[in-house]
Amino acid sequence: VDPDARAALLVDLFERAPLGEHLGMALGFDDRLRSVVDLPPGRHLHHPLHQVHGGVFGTLVDTAAWFAAAIHYDTWIATVEYHTRLLEPVADEALVAVGRLIRAGNRLATASAEIHTASGDLVAIGTGSFAVTDVPIA
Amino acid sequence: VDPDARAALLVDLFERAPLGEHLGMALGFDDRLRSVVDLPPGRHLHHPLHQVHGGVFGTLVDTAAWFAAAIHYDTWIATVEYHTRLLEPVADEALVAVGRLIRAGNRLATASAEIHTASGDLVAIGTGSFAVTDVPIA
Amino acid sequence: VDPDARAALLVDLFERAPLGEHLGMALGFDDRLRSVVDLPPGRHLHHPLHQVHGGVFGTLVDTAAWFAAAIHYDTWIATVEYHTRLLEPVADEALVAVGRLIRAGNRLATASAEIHTASGDLVAIGTGSFAVTDVPIA
Amino acid sequence: VDPDARAALLVDLFERAPLGEHLGMALGFDDRLRSVVDLPPGRHLHHPLHQVHGGVFGTLVDTAAWFAAAIHYDTWIATVEYHTRLLEPVADEALVAVGRLIRAGNRLATASAEIHTASGDLVAIGTGSFAVTDVPIA
């Protein structure tokens, strides 16, 4: 399958994802088929001390790693588990999560994500594994 | 410190948490000081195939484990990392995450979370570690 | 299949595991089919500061969780990933790792492990996921 | 402190580590201060199906990540937790684990490890966090 066509299909899929829209995320792919998830700052992302909630970083890890893996399959993949490390607190900066495929197996995919602020600080990392299903993605 | 007073303080803190409100979570504690995080169903929690997004489960793990640990400290704790396992897909059921302290160290706390549907199925689990800071929590 | 027969088969399998023998581990199952891995103390388990090496705790997590899951399958399962948390340092005490099944799916199993010292302190925990294969276990 | 002197000190420390010797590991550092842990093949590393045991990969992750972080501190660091992903089974090939610092904080360090076979296949990855202590390392 043409990678550009698959990227367009996944971006379209993403834009119909309610949680992504609810939080304000936008998806793209770079020319090495890495996923790029942008998240503008917003008070709705905060925990009580008004920094970005750990759950937001986890959501970015799951999302970026999922799309970095999904672009290599014709069928839907299901998140099995993911791990999120918070390196620095962030308050009101835009975030960019870049997902990268580690391994695309027949039954399981593995991918990682790095999250930087718009100003370039590495603020969180994570990895996840994803089970390949028989459900067509289109 | 009186546990009931601390629980009330943390519930008040939680209710000022923008992300919790944005997603629809509510916090309580049971009589063993376990955190109980309720999340009613909603389309805004879904990924593109209209099941609950993995990031929602991670947010519940981070939140439930954080509060189960925080109630044992006078000062703020900061999420270091957390791990989330998705066991079963969920579409439109209410979720309940219960957080439990594993260990309250001087510098680090460890806690776990189990997430059930309202009908009693175990659908996700996770664990996290939290760094104890000097910032007063009140 | 009779659980006792399966337990006997897995104990026999374990006793032919070179790493287990090299480190000194012994395997059993309790009456709830939880795995019980015993490891006597020994200098060969130490890191340079003469406490038990983190890799030993990870090996116990992988082993105990693997057997707690494997007893529920007719075929071999393969470790996908596991996470290990070290709660307390240990020097020269016997360790007991108890593995517990979390979920036995058709394609993936999830299990956890808790590691105590002989004197009863909880010193490490972990969880893992395991892919179900077609390879017969006998 | 001179990095070469610190590397020499850590290699000396490693060579007094009983577990490392028991398994057959050797430590070095490359010119970017990444740790390099070599492990020749051996039957003693195997699980019952005669492939390298998951615990060996975890031990390599913990060891490589620990040394990649430790070289940036004057004092001892303690493993808090680590996560290990097994990507491909390995039977009788030499393994090389390369550890890389992710972040050296005042209280916590984060590092990752990649494990390749001698023939160049990526067979496992992992990450860990380490608490900075007051205990001098020398």
Side-chain angles (χ1 to χ4, degrees):
Chain A
V1 176
D2 172 35
D4 288 344
R6 185 174 304 284
L9 185 149
L10 286 173
V11 168
D12 181 64
L13 185 80
F14 178 84
E15 287 171 357
R16 288 179 281 130
L19 181 68
E21 184 183 354
H22 194 62
L23 296 178
M25 298 191 296
L27 172 72
F29 287 91
D30 70 13
D31 56 7
R32 292 162 63 183
L33 293 186
R34 294 183 301 198
S35 65
V36 181
V37 181
D38 282 293
L39 180 60
R43 190 180 173 283
H44 64 288
L45 305 174
H46 287 181
H47 62 53
L49 249 58
H50 295 294
Q51 293 169 334
V52 176
H53 193 290
V56 172
F57 291 108
T59 301
L60 286 170
V61 165
D62 183 30
T63 302
W66 191 93
F67 280 97
I71 200 165
H72 297 277
Y73 293 90
D74 292 322
T75 53
W76 187 259
I77 61 174
T79 302
V80 173
E81 50 75 41
Y82 64 95
H83 188 238
T84 307
R85 297 188 180 281
L86 281 61
L87 304 175
E88 296 279 358
V90 178
D92 292 305
E93 281 198 86
L95 298 172
V96 184
V98 175
R100 189 167 60 90
L101 178 74
I102 304 286
R103 182 173 180 277
N106 289 333
R107 303 194 312 159
L108 285 166
T110 305
S112 66
E114 291 190 355
I115 303 172
H116 287 83
T117 58
S119 53
D121 291 329
L122 179 65
V123 292
I125 61 171
T127 54
S129 64
F130 307 92
V132 182
T133 76
D134 296 329
V135 180
I137 215 165
Chain B
V1 177
D2 172 36
D4 288 343
R6 185 175 303 285
L9 184 149
L10 286 174
V11 169
D12 181 64
L13 185 81
F14 178 83
E15 287 171 357
R16 289 179 280 129
L19 181 68
E21 184 183 353
H22 194 63
L23 296 179
M25 300 191 295
L27 171 72
F29 287 91
D30 69 13
D31 55 7
R32 293 162 62 183
L33 294 186
R34 295 183 301 198
S35 65
V36 181
V37 181
D38 283 292
L39 181 61
R43 191 180 172 282
H44 65 288
L45 305 174
H46 287 180
H47 61 54
L49 249 57
H50 294 295
Q51 294 169 332
V52 175
H53 192 290
V56 172
F57 291 109
T59 301
L60 285 170
V61 165
D62 183 29
T63 301
W66 192 94
F67 279 98
I71 199 165
H72 297 278
Y73 293 90
D74 291 322
T75 53
W76 188 258
I77 61 175
T79 302
V80 173
E81 50 75 41
Y82 65 95
H83 188 237
T84 307
R85 297 188 180 280
L86 280 61
L87 304 175
E88 296 279 357
V90 179
D92 290 306
E93 281 197 87
L95 297 172
V96 185
V98 174
R100 190 167 60 89
L101 178 74
I102 303 287
R103 183 173 179 278
N106 289 331
R107 304 195 311 160
L108 285 166
T110 304
S112 66
E114 292 190 356
I115 304 173
H116 288 82
T117 58
S119 52
D121 292 330
L122 179 66
V123 291
I125 60 170
T127 53
S129 63
F130 307 93
V132 183
T133 75
D134 297 329
V135 180
I137 216 167
Chain C
V1 177
D2 172 35
D4 287 345
R6 185 176 302 285
L9 185 149
L10 286 174
V11 169
D12 182 63
L13 186 79
F14 179 83
E15 287 172 357
R16 288 178 281 130
L19 181 68
E21 184 182 354
H22 194 62
L23 296 179
M25 299 191 295
L27 171 72
F29 287 91
D30 70 14
D31 55 9
R32 294 162 62 184
L33 294 186
R34 294 183 301 198
S35 65
V36 181
V37 181
D38 283 292
L39 180 60
R43 191 179 171 282
H44 64 288
L45 305 174
H46 287 180
H47 63 54
L49 249 59
H50 295 294
Q51 293 168 333
V52 175
H53 193 290
V56 172
F57 291 109
T59 300
L60 286 170
V61 165
D62 183 29
T63 301
W66 192 94
F67 280 98
I71 199 166
H72 297 277
Y73 293 90
D74 291 323
T75 52
W76 187 257
I77 61 174
T79 301
V80 173
E81 49 75 41
Y82 65 95
H83 188 237
T84 307
R85 296 187 180 281
L86 281 61
L87 304 175
E88 297 279 358
V90 178
D92 290 305
E93 281 196 87
L95 297 173
V96 185
V98 175
R100 188 168 60 89
L101 178 74
I102 304 285
R103 182 173 180 279
N106 289 332
R107 304 195 310 159
L108 284 167
T110 304
S112 66
E114 291 190 355
I115 304 172
H116 288 83
T117 58
S119 53
D121 292 329
L122 179 65
V123 291
I125 61 171
T127 54
S129 64
F130 307 91
V132 182
T133 75
D134 297 329
V135 180
I137 215 165
Chain D
V1 178
D2 172 36
D4 288 345
R6 184 173 304 286
L9 185 149
L10 286 173
V11 169
D12 181 65
L13 186 79
F14 178 84
E15 287 171 356
R16 288 178 281 131
L19 181 67
E21 185 182 353
H22 194 62
L23 296 178
M25 300 191 294
L27 171 73
F29 288 91
D30 70 13
D31 56 7
R32 294 162 62 182
L33 294 187
R34 294 184 301 198
S35 65
V36 181
V37 181
D38 283 292
L39 180 61
R43 191 179 172 283
H44 64 289
L45 305 173
H46 286 180
H47 62 54
L49 249 60
H50 295 295
Q51 293 169 332
V52 176
H53 193 291
V56 172
F57 292 108
T59 301
L60 286 170
V61 166
D62 183 30
T63 302
W66 192 94
F67 280 98
I71 199 166
H72 296 277
Y73 293 90
D74 292 322
T75 52
W76 188 258
I77 62 175
T79 301
V80 173
E81 48 75 41
Y82 65 95
H83 189 238
T84 307
R85 297 188 180 279
L86 280 61
L87 305 175
E88 296 279 358
V90 178
D92 291 305
E93 281 197 88
L95 297 173
V96 184
V98 174
R100 190 168 59 91
L101 178 74
I102 304 286
R103 183 173 179 279
N106 289 331
R107 303 195 310 162
L108 285 166
T110 304
S112 66
E114 292 190 354
I115 303 172
H116 288 83
T117 58
S119 53
D121 292 329
L122 179 65
V123 291
I125 60 171
T127 53
S129 64
F130 307 92
V132 183
T133 75
D134 296 330
V135 180
I137 215 166

